[in-house]
Amino acid sequence: MEIAIVVALVGVLGIGAQWIAWRTGWPAIVLMLAAGFLAGPVLNIFDPEHAFGELLEPMVAIGVALILFEGGLSLDFRELRHSGDGVLRLATIGVAIGWLLGALAGYHIARLDWAVAVLFGGILVVTGPTVVIPLLRQANVTTRPASILKWEAIVNDPTGALAAVIAYEYFRKTAEFPGSTIFEIVPPLIIAAIVAGLIGYGAARLIAYTFPRGLVPEYLKVPVLFTVVVAVFVISNLIEHEAGLVAVTVMGVALANMNVSSLRSIHPFKENIAVLLVSGIFILLSASLTVDDLQGFNWRFGLFLLALLFLVRPATILLSLLGSSVPWNERLFLAWIAPRGIVLVAISGLFALRLAELGIEGGQLLISLSFAVVVTTVVAHGFTINLVAKLLGIKGSERPGLLIVGSTPWTVALANEMKALGTPVLISDSSWQRLAIARQKGIAFYHGEILNEATEHNLDLTPYQVLVAATDNEAYNTLVCNEFAHEIGRDSVYQLGEAGTGDDRHALPESLRGRALFESGFGVADVQQRQQMGWVFRKTKLSQEFNFDDAQQKLPESTHMLLLLRDGGRMRFFTHAARPEPRAGDIIISFSPPQQRTPEEAAERRKGKRSDSDPQTA
């Protein structure tokens, strides 16, 4: 089969699995592994090793390096204030304990050769950021345990690779020179890792110097950055095998903490690249499995997987965090959650080939065992993370939250209405005076500039899936929507005011704006004027007997529908471009003029004759 067809198939299977995961809420990694396994050993649609030959290993290695670099770029040291000393303990004490316990479990339970068990135990200290971060997003976990898991995942990835290199080099040296000791082998490897880290840091300093000074044109910044990452990875690997993983991680973390403003524009692009790489690598590696790889799997491997879940990980966390400031409920959560991902599979596959070259038996089992670890941990943790977080009291609200930018009488009234319906609401404004009304109403608020980079380290935005920008400045509202569109979703950011036509050179372009609230596209001045005239928000519950048409007849004639609140708290807004389909059970939030009642209606209301079972419009 032609390489171009294989590449296309890998893309379709990988991105298709990611899309299904998004629609269903299932762990994406499990779907990608299943897709690759079906396309490879089950249906024999393609064989990556046959299609790519000797290119497969360097392709996977560079892909893993780019993924680690992208992960490093998301680590800001200011986040460490949320995790305390937990990350440092897990990156030092935790690595040593996890390596030891993993090796003992592999040797005594799985009955692996001692060399294979020690090497695999080193690899097992990694937890995949490509798996951990989506799980945390899915579970809406509180800030500190989420920050610890995120940092552990990215910091321990190169650490696990280095541990595997140390184990491999020790057994290789002892095979060549039987008299070699660990003190003769390990120090040079550690020195090589330090040199690799310095190379990565130096490359980061070079980027931080050249980009802001205009020495690299804007259109070349992304190509230059990724070329430098690959070059750093390759050069460091020339010093020592897999030292490049250390170098690219250090480079990413260093850049993330150098405040290089011009890097902000490439964040969406590098995240898209990471998604493509993760999808492609998982499909390629799972499709590379053979029936022979799976035949070596026995009941002892099953016991080994159970030991990883219920003995190795819990003991590692609980022993590492003894005497730390991390609360016990968060320790128990960390003790359970440790999904493995792409780095584990990639490094295992690499060393399986090298152990075979040394003549060490059982090295080929690393491939099937690593896949088993990935599937087991992702399934076990992916499908239980919500339940465990809820039981331990570290889960945020399950209802989607609403973030409102701009504190005005109109936004406070909207926030008050949504709060009464159980929706988590937060109003953000840079003016303490403008926030006075929100504070008086007891509405959660954030005093600060929402566009300031420090906000993401001082304000947890995870609970908020919808944003409404409604300040007095329409251009600022547009800027806020455009900034948050990538993080929250272009379909989930809204603002007041309708976009102009393409021919209107005075209007802000629709491509930058959020979706316009109300079908009429009310602007800031429109809602303020109507509120001064006595307009208010009303909520109306729909049922099988009382549908949307009935609600419209019940409400004043000039009422404008704002949103539907559905079961589970999902919000669907009426906009100038789309109108959600109302259904029984929905609550309609409308913006209405004062309701004029007939004398008969007023008398009926005073007598309280309305039945409790009838739909009510407030």
Side-chain angles (χ1 to χ4, degrees), residues 477-493:
N477 294 339
T478 298
L479 181 61
V480 169
C481 288
N482 192 55
E483 179 71 18
F484 284 89
H486 175 71
E487 182 175 348
I488 296 179
R490 177 65 67 178
D491 294 337
S492 299
V493 291

Side-chain angles (χ1 to χ4, degrees), residues 352-368:
L353 300 175
R354 294 181 179 175
L355 287 175
E357 294 172 357
L358 292 180
I360 296 176
E361 295 184 2
Q364 69 278 6
L365 294 175
L366 287 182
I367 300 176
S368 56

Side-chain angles (χ1 to χ4, degrees), residues 60-81:
V60 171
I62 291 175
V64 171
L66 290 172
I67 290 170
L68 286 182
F69 170 74
E70 191 273 335
L73 274 180
S74 65
L75 291 182
D76 193 304
F77 287 136
R78 286 173 289 188
E79 287 187 16
L80 287 177
R81 74 181 69 176

Side-chain angles (χ1 to χ4, degrees), residues 231-491:
V232 165
F233 174 70
V234 172
I235 292 171
S236 300
N237 274 352
L238 293 177
I239 299 172
E240 183 58 58
H241 290 302
E242 310 315 317
L245 297 179
V246 177
V248 296
T249 303
V250 170
M251 180 180 173
V253 174
L255 273 177
N257 292 276
M258 288 180 182
N259 296 320
V260 183
S261 58
S262 55
L263 286 180
R264 289 180 61 85
S265 61
I266 73 166
H267 279 197
F269 179 81
K270 57 97 175 172
E271 290 177 6
N272 292 338
I273 290 293
V275 170
L276 288 171
L277 288 172
V278 169
S279 304
I281 291 174
F282 266 109
I283 296 296
L284 288 173
L285 291 177
S286 55
S288 299
L289 282 172
T290 65
V291 176
D292 292 337
D293 293 331
L294 301 177
Q295 287 177 343
F297 202 90
N298 56 47
W299 64 272
R300 289 189 175 278
F301 288 177
L303 289 180
F304 172 73
L305 296 175
L306 291 175
L308 283 183
L309 291 175
F310 298 104
L311 293 176
V312 175
R313 175 65 178 184
T316 299
I317 294 297
L318 298 179
L319 290 174
S320 301
L321 297 181
L322 276 178
S324 72
S325 59
V326 180
W328 273 99
N329 62 332
E330 295 180 5
R331 296 187 202 185
L332 293 175
F333 178 75
L334 296 172
W336 175 242
I337 302 299
R340 270 61 169 200
I342 186 67
V343 176
L344 173 72
V345 174
I347 297 175
S348 297
L350 178 65
F351 282 104
L353 300 175
R354 294 181 179 175
L355 287 175
E357 294 172 357
L358 292 180
I360 296 176
E361 295 184 2
Q364 69 278 6
L365 294 175
L366 287 182
I367 300 176
S368 56
L369 194 55
S370 65
F371 273 107
V373 169
V374 168
V375 172
T376 301
T377 55
V378 169
V379 170
H381 301 148
F383 286 106
T384 60
I385 186 171
N386 281 295
L387 176 62
V388 172
K390 188 173 183 179
L391 291 175
L392 294 174
I394 58 172
K395 184 173 175 60
S397 173
E398 295 185 4
R399 293 175 69 88
L402 173 63
L403 172 61
I404 301 176
V405 180
S407 182
T408 66
W410 186 82
T411 59
V412 171
L414 172 61
N416 204 42
E417 196 73 31
M418 298 304 292
K419 179 186 175 184
L421 293 170
T423 297
V425 184
L426 181 137
I427 294 181
S428 170
D429 203 298
S430 59
S431 169
W432 184 254
Q433 183 178 1
R434 286 196 296 266
L435 285 168
I437 307 176
R439 290 185 279 118
Q440 291 168 4
K441 296 284 187 180
I443 298 169
F445 65 89
Y446 174 72
H447 179 219
E449 174 52 64
I450 194 71
L451 295 177
N452 193 308
E453 196 171 323
T455 297
E456 57 186 281
H457 307 296
N458 297 314
L459 175 64
D460 182 15
L461 295 174
T462 306
Y464 306 104
Q465 283 82 51
V466 177
L467 178 144
V468 170
T471 70
D472 295 335
N473 188 326
E474 188 177 347
Y476 178 78
N477 294 339
T478 298
L479 181 61
V480 169
C481 288
N482 192 55
E483 179 71 18
F484 284 89
H486 175 71
E487 182 175 348
I488 296 179
R490 177 65 67 178
D491 294 337

